Amino acid sequence: MRETLRVAFTGALAAVDLTARVARAMPATPRGVRRGLLLAVGKASPAMARGALPAVDARIARALVVAPDGTEAELDDPRVELMRASHPDPDARSVAAGRRAMELVRQSDYVIALVSGGASSLICLPRGVSLARYVRVVRALLLGGATAREVNLVRRHLCAVKGGGLARRAAGPVRTLIASDVIRGEAQDVGSGPTAPDPTTCAQARAVLRRHAPRLALPPLHESLKPTSAAARGLRVRFVARPQDLARALAGELQARLDSVRVLEASVAPADVLAREYLARAQTLRPGQALVRSAEPSLVVDASPAGRGGRSTHLATLVARHLPQGVIFLAGASDGVDGNSGSAGAVVDATLLARVGEEAIARALAAFDTGRLLASAGMTVTLGPTGSNLADVHVLAR
């Protein structure tokens, strides 16, 4: 059954074909365009660009693709300028990519933006703070258990390219296609919305900072591009994929192998809350039944220094600790990178306890070192960067 879930997970990732989805969703280039730009930013930027490039004519004279290290980005098109940058923390290359994106957008009379998860770190122009302080603020929020939507809300008020910052510089209309990695996320939440208007405010960003990083000195914040602004009138946004699409694809993969598969409502609950829910559901799960869910569990990391792990391996370890015999649990990161665990997540069952012992499990959870623990037990899923990013997915099956 563990192998069944691994195969279904990789099959579902392939089934949500972002290249094909972008190709079908491409807007027609308006009349009068002379200097069009294709801008693709995020973990899925190469896959999305492959769908867009054949669908545009010569008036889209330039294409900038910004991708993370390790993601395959072979793009056979002379218009493409490929830049690499860092994830999850932005680096000097992220700043260079942000400046280049600003420059090209200003020079273009029409922009097609392809935005996917990870864009927040890949293009970055901190506003009013140094890059080092910007990184400290974002890290503090993540370690404090803030959700992706909350972290990106703050980012939109700390960075010149986010919260519609790129769109402000556009010399003409901007059309954005989005592959979302944010549960129940709106356009401004994905990649912190570089080409989307943002209804949130500096006051809301301060509230998030006080809630999740109370010991952090408040940085200077700046208002984002509001939907009522004149600069927002030429913006159009369309989603080509959302996290729930991956959950449905995974359910489809499992339906050929199991008797009953149900997709649960997506969740951003804390990892410990989800673990308790899954263990309660495991008690009543029937043979041949599976539950599938898109999720983005929050996790407060209070060990310093933390070990090698991620939210998927941490959740999988919490669940495996008390799983009944015959029940299997998968927690997988769709981008193939679960924190710094060195894996995409794990498929676990009750044998973990017998393999490593209760003491080792307790130590790994306390040190947030669950990636190393599950690798030693042979329960991790290793994919490498997938070129996709549609949040995490969970499966509970008997």
Side-chain angles (χ1 to χ4, degrees):
M1 179 61 85
R2 284 209 308 269
E3 186 59 24
T4 292
L5 296 194
R6 290 175 195 267
V7 170
F9 178 40
T10 56
L13 288 170
V16 185
D17 186 341
L18 294 180
T19 297
R21 288 177 176 233
V22 167
R24 290 194 296 268
M26 282 296 292
T29 304
R31 292 179 180 177
V33 169
R34 299 174 62 189
R35 303 180 312 280
L37 171 69
L38 178 69
L39 172 66
V41 185
K43 292 183 181 180
S45 59
M48 297 179 77
R50 288 189 195 98
L53 286 165
V56 295
D57 59 34
R59 291 176 295 165
I60 307 298
R62 290 176 169 179
L64 176 64
V65 177
V66 186
D69 295 320
T71 298
E72 191 279 317
E74 190 70 30
L75 294 163
D76 186 19
D77 192 302
R79 293 172 290 182
V80 173
E81 177 183 350
L82 174 65
M83 299 185 75
R84 297 281 188 178
S86 177
H87 185 277
D89 293 333
D91 61 5
R93 297 174 301 162
S94 308
V95 173
R99 288 185 177 133
R100 182 60 173 157
M102 284 284 210
E103 177 187 10
L104 291 177
V105 164
R106 275 195 294 260
Q107 295 172 2
S108 305
D109 58 2
Y110 176 61
V111 176
I112 301 171
L114 311 175
V115 180
S116 55
S120 292
S121 67
L122 296 176
I123 55 171
C124 183
L125 282 178
R127 189 177 174 192
V129 296
S130 66
L131 178 62
R133 187 178 180 194
Y134 177 95
V135 169
R136 285 197 299 272
V137 169
V138 173
R139 278 184 184 171
L141 290 171
L142 291 168
L143 296 176
T147 66
R149 294 187 76 182
E150 289 173 323
V151 173
N152 287 356
L153 191 161
V154 173
R155 282 169 163 157
R156 292 195 295 272
H157 296 88
L158 266 181
C159 177
V161 298
K162 298 175 177 61
L166 272 181
R168 285 185 199 219
R169 304 303 191 276
V174 180
R175 303 292 179 260
T176 303
L177 301 182
I178 296 176
S180 174
D181 65 330
V182 182
I183 302 296
R184 293 187 286 276
E186 301 297 333
Q188 70 272 9
D189 297 312
V190 184
S192 303
T195 55
D198 173 35
T200 66
T201 65
C202 288
Q204 290 172 295
R206 289 189 196 97
V208 170
L209 285 161
R210 291 192 182 101
R211 183 161 57 252
H212 295 289
R215 285 178 282 187
L216 196 72
L218 287 175
L221 301 175
H222 306 271
E223 281 299 351
S224 50
L225 176 67
K226 297 297 174 266
T228 54
S229 168
R233 290 174 190 161
L235 308 183
R236 301 290 183 273
V237 174
R238 178 176 176 181
F239 285 82
V240 297
R242 297 178 186 265
Q244 203 71 343
D245 294 332
L246 179 60
R248 286 190 286 265
L250 183 47
E253 294 286 323
L254 289 170
Q255 280 167 351
R257 300 170 172 88
L258 298 172
D259 298 332
S260 172
V261 182
R262 182 159 65 96
V263 178
L264 302 176
E265 184 179 355
S267 175
V268 294
D272 58 339
V273 173
L274 279 177
R276 289 194 295 270
E277 179 191 342
Y278 289 138
L279 289 169
R281 289 181 180 276
Q283 302 301 320
T284 58
L285 207 61
R286 300 187 306 274
Q289 185 179 30
L291 304 174
V292 180
R293 166 182 274 157
S294 289
E296 199 168 24
S298 57
L299 184 63
V300 177
V301 180
D302 52 12
S304 182
R308 295 186 62 82
R311 62 191 182 198
S312 288
T313 56
H314 194 89
L315 175 62
T317 304
L318 285 171
V319 173
R321 198 177 194 179
H322 302 295
L323 268 181
Q325 292 293 328
V327 178
I328 317 293
F329 178 70
L330 175 144
S334 62
D335 62 358
V337 183
D338 177 46
N340 67 349
S341 69
S343 72
V347 185
V348 298
D349 58 22
T351 64
L352 178 66
L353 187 60
R355 293 185 191 201
V356 302
E358 171 61 31
E359 187 177 339
I361 291 175
R363 281 199 308 269
L365 287 169
F368 297 89
D369 198 28
T370 51
R372 209 184 317 258
L373 176 85
L374 294 176
S376 72
M379 292 184 171
T380 51
V381 178
T382 303
L383 301 177
T386 62
S388 182
N389 195 15
L390 298 170
D392 296 348
V393 69
H394 301 158
V395 182
L396 188 71
R398 184 184 286 276

